[in-house]
Amino acid sequence: MRIGELAAQTGTTRDTIRFYEKVGLLAGRRLANGYRDFPPEAVAWLHYVRTAQTLGFSLAEIARTGEELYAAPDAAEALSALFEEKIRLVDARMSELATLRAELTERVGTGCPLRAVDQEEDGVARVTARPLPKTLRPVN
């Protein structure tokens, strides 16, 4: 099938398909007239790529795991394992973001959110007002 038909069937643009082809996610052959020709299974593959992207998988992950899934004796089991690994990564990132949010919250209303936060002996964090180095001070 030609690129326009593939784009219409998958809800993607021709540019997206060309990009996927360029980065090795999709393979088509060239006809004698120079047109791209894609196999019918490219439709299902592009649906998989788009769904995987919405689930947070990068194009590099999709390329790598797509080959693994294709070769797996039980694709459903292999896909579940991929999802479980992605959940672990999401949980770790959520923990990092919660820590970052807490740090930002501590600095709200302190004047300069870039000042160092010191831990006092009582365990309470306090912002220490330190002057900026001359090289970082605003120029008037």
Side-chain angles (χ1 to χ4, degrees):
M1 95 181 49
R2 294 227 196 100
I3 192 169
E5 185 180 352
L6 182 58
Q9 287 189 28
T10 59
T12 59
T13 65
R14 293 174 186 189
D15 287 339
T16 299
I17 294 170
R18 288 184 192 105
F19 176 75
Y20 289 164
E21 190 177 24
K22 181 179 177 182
V23 299
L25 270 176
L26 183 65
R29 65 183 180 100
R30 291 288 183 154
L31 300 175
N33 60 6
Y35 291 161
R36 289 173 171 87
D37 185 50
F38 297 95
E41 51 273 2
V43 173
W45 172 245
L46 285 181
H47 284 300
Y48 170 78
V49 169
R50 302 299 281 191
T51 301
Q53 280 185 296
T54 63
L55 293 173
F57 289 88
S58 69
L59 292 179
E61 288 173 316
I62 294 167
R64 180 178 41 81
T65 58
E67 292 175 16
E68 292 172 10
L69 289 173
Y70 184 75
D74 185 352
E77 184 178 314
L79 195 55
S80 290
L82 288 174
F83 289 161
E84 288 170 354
E85 177 59 27
K86 192 57 143 176
I87 289 168
R88 283 190 287 278
L89 293 172
V90 168
D91 287 344
R93 184 67 179 135
M94 287 173 62
S95 176
E96 292 169 2
L97 289 171
T99 300
L100 175 60
R101 186 182 195 291
E103 288 179 23
L104 290 169
T105 301
E106 285 179 11
R107 293 168 187 263
V108 169
T110 64
C112 178
L114 301 179
R115 292 185 178 135
V117 175
D118 296 323
Q119 293 291 333
E120 298 291 324
E121 288 180 24
D122 60 1
V124 176
R126 292 187 179 78
V127 176
T128 304
R130 295 186 182 122
L132 290 173
K134 288 183 181 180
T135 57
L136 296 178
R137 290 186 187 156
V139 178
N140 292 331

